[in-house]
Amino acid sequence: MLIEKEVSELKVGHFVVKIIQQEGHFTLTSAGHIKSKAVINHLKSKTIYRVLIDDSKTLVPKSIDSDENSIMDNKDLEHAKAIIDQSKSIQKKLFDDALKGNCINLSPVVDIVNKSIDAIFNSPDSLSCMLNIREKDEYLFEHSVAVSIYITIFSRYLDLKRDIIEQLSIGAFLHDIGKIKIPDAILNKPGKLTDDEFTIMKTHANHSISIIKDTPGISELSLEVAALHHEKLDGNGYPFQVKADAITLYGRMISICDIFDALTATRVYKKGFAHNKAFAILRELGKKNQLDANLVDHFIRCVGVFPIGSLVQLESNKLALVNARNDKDPTNPHVQSFYHVEQNQFINKQEINLANSQDSIVKGVSAEEFNLDMGKIVEMILMEG
């Protein structure tokens, strides 16, 4: 049944067919579901007053309370996975061009960055989830993709303007391109670098700045955020030892995003930390005046105590995937159990609302701790819903 609604009456789950009344000339890309409150706020910001909805297609959010902020379904996850896969392909081409000394083509970067931003605005948790459950097998390419997505999520949380978010995301997407100039023996060394090796490794930031500067169409803000990603508030960062107030909000943001992904990523020679451990390290760096402590706290709230797509171990000795937040009780999210630790085997999946359950989270964990293949878990999620 088609019904006219005031934008102020829209709820997450409504299926919008078309715009009925507005002051501007905004057009919908296609009819679709309202997947987050951010989408409603976006429509309001475009001075749209009335829309037509198809009430027969209204979705009831799979939430743990009536204040659920978003809907995430398999279609969202598949779309998020496609964006990450495409992003990695673009990264490979960028690194190849940089290695050959070719000029960087910014167009595909702008295109994929905007796809990411749209996905985050429409289904905030989908890309975040895919970052957590992705197969981590190509760190060099995945890291820049992940940092770009994290800074977009963080920027949205801080309510930055869309054009600013785009420029930050582009800068983050390119921030490590200079690593292609670092010898593989140093870049992929399993273990601590010597002082001389670390000196060489640090030059990747200078290489990145040079490559980005020579990229036609790059903005000053994109260059700025890439240039500042290894600087520290205490002045002991690199490459320019920029200090305190000279490091902008955007430089402070990318430092947090960069370190967080580095801490949680698994590489050939290193297992990633669980999120709670990574958060503790970020807070410690804030206390040491290397990171902005206030921004670190905002980032943790933004990502979530138990982020969507992260793994947790329950009191019942089951492993579960976090699949919905509980903003009223952040330590008791909505999870999906799928594995029994003692039995060492996969079990029938069970949706658990921890806010209304006798079960509870013992700790955040990583798949590698239990010799599990995250790829199989992803396949199971996408196939079974």
Side-chain angles (χ1 to χ4, degrees):
M1 180 178 181
L2 297 179
I3 303 172
E4 287 193 21
K5 286 266 188 190
E6 301 285 339
V7 169
S8 58
E9 297 176 315
L10 284 178
K11 295 186 188 236
V12 173
H14 278 151
F15 187 89
V16 177
V17 177
K18 67 178 181 179
I19 296 168
I20 300 294
Q21 182 186 6
Q22 65 173 316
E23 284 186 11
H25 303 283
F26 184 78
T27 57
L28 297 175
T29 306
S30 62
H33 288 101
I34 298 289
K35 293 178 179 175
S36 71
K37 289 182 179 178
V39 175
I40 299 172
N41 291 334
H42 183 62
L43 293 175
K44 289 178 181 176
S45 74
K46 297 296 181 182
T47 60
I48 295 168
Y49 302 121
R50 292 180 69 78
V51 296
L52 188 70
I53 72 163
D54 186 343
D55 197 41
S56 67
K57 296 182 179 179
T58 296
L59 294 176
V60 177
K62 297 175 183 178
S63 63
I64 52 180
D65 58 53
S66 60
D67 294 324
E68 177 65 25
N69 286 319
S70 64
I71 298 171
M72 182 173 62
D73 54 29
N74 273 19
K75 192 174 290 186
D76 295 324
L77 287 177
E78 288 168 358
H79 181 54
K81 185 177 185 301
I83 288 174
I84 289 177
D85 289 344
Q86 185 181 352
S87 297
K88 285 168 61 177
S89 295
I90 292 170
Q91 280 286 342
K92 291 176 184 178
K93 177 67 166 61
L94 292 174
F95 274 75
D96 186 55
D97 284 340
L99 183 62
K100 293 175 180 176
N102 296 336
C103 189
I104 298 299
N105 180 8
L106 200 60
S107 295
V109 179
V110 174
D111 178 60
I112 195 63
V113 156
N114 277 286
K115 284 183 181 178
S116 296
I117 295 171
D118 288 340
I120 289 166
F121 271 73
N122 291 329
S123 181
D125 292 324
S126 59
L127 272 173
S128 176
C129 181
M130 282 310 305
L131 284 181
N132 291 321
I133 64 180
R134 73 191 190 269
E135 293 183 78
K136 303 174 178 71
D137 57 355
E138 295 177 300
Y139 177 76
L140 182 61
F141 307 116
E142 290 174 347
H143 174 63
S144 292
V145 173
V147 174
S148 180
I149 291 171
Y150 277 129
I151 204 167
T152 300
I153 294 170
F154 198 12
S155 298
R156 176 182 173 274
Y157 171 86
L158 295 175
D159 201 26
L160 301 184
K161 293 181 179 179
R162 168 74 188 235
D163 66 316
I164 298 293
I165 295 176
E166 179 183 322
Q167 293 177 73
L168 296 181
S169 188
I170 289 170
F173 200 90
L174 298 173
H175 82 283
D176 260 353
I177 196 167
K179 280 186 175 176
I180 199 65
K181 304 286 189 180
I182 304 300
D184 284 344
I186 294 176
L187 189 62
N188 298 311
K189 181 180 177 180
K192 187 175 180 179
L193 298 177
T194 65
D195 289 344
D196 289 342
E197 288 170 336
F198 187 53
T199 297
I200 295 171
M201 174 63 88
K202 288 193 294 185
T203 63
H204 84 269
N206 304 80
H207 292 309
S208 290
I209 292 168
S210 296
I211 293 168
I212 295 169
K213 270 184 179 178
D214 291 338
T215 300
I218 200 73
S219 74
E220 288 295 325
L221 183 53
S222 295
L223 175 61
E224 172 195 307
V225 75
L228 291 172
H229 79 274
H230 275 306
E231 300 292 355
K232 298 176 181 177
L233 295 184
D234 61 7
N236 290 318
Y238 63 90
F240 305 119
Q241 292 81 52
V242 181
K243 213 182 252 195
D245 291 343
I247 302 178
T248 64
L249 167 67
Y250 310 129
R252 297 171 187 226
M253 289 169 63
I254 195 172
S255 295
I256 294 169
C257 297
D258 179 64
I259 293 172
F260 179 71
D261 186 68
L263 289 171
T264 55
T266 292
R267 303 175 226 183
V268 175
Y269 55 86
K270 166 193 166 295
K271 291 182 178 180
F273 290 122
H275 288 82
N276 55 331
K277 174 66 174 176
F279 290 150
I281 293 172
L282 289 179
R283 282 203 166 111
E284 188 60 30
L285 293 175
K287 290 178 183 176
K288 292 179 178 178
N289 195 37
Q290 293 184 15
L291 297 176
D292 186 313
N294 184 50
L295 270 182
V296 166
D297 286 341
H298 278 298
F299 180 78
I300 293 171
R301 284 196 287 273
C302 163
V303 174
V305 178
F306 296 109
I308 304 293
S310 63
L311 296 183
V312 293
Q313 184 171 348
L314 305 178
E315 287 275 6
S316 58
N317 275 321
K318 295 175 183 177
L319 296 187
L321 187 82
V322 178
N323 61 5
R325 298 172 186 262
N326 179 356
D327 291 334
K328 291 182 178 178
D329 188 359
T331 60
N332 285 307
H334 200 241
V335 302
Q336 187 177 78
S337 63
F338 64 90
Y339 187 84
H340 200 286
V341 175
E342 288 184 342
Q343 297 172 7
N344 195 30
Q345 65 180 18
F346 286 91
I347 56 177
N348 290 332
K349 291 191 301 178
Q350 180 185 4
E351 298 280 347
I352 306 173
N353 175 0
L354 291 176
N356 298 325
S357 171
Q358 293 184 340
D359 215 343
S360 61
I361 294 174
V362 175
K363 59 181 178 178
V365 295
S366 63
E368 291 78 14
E369 292 178 49
F370 301 90
N371 295 315
L372 294 178
D373 181 351
M374 207 63 196
K376 289 182 179 178
I377 298 172
V378 172
E379 183 180 349
M380 177 182 68
I381 293 167
L382 294 181
M383 286 182 66
E384 297 183 23

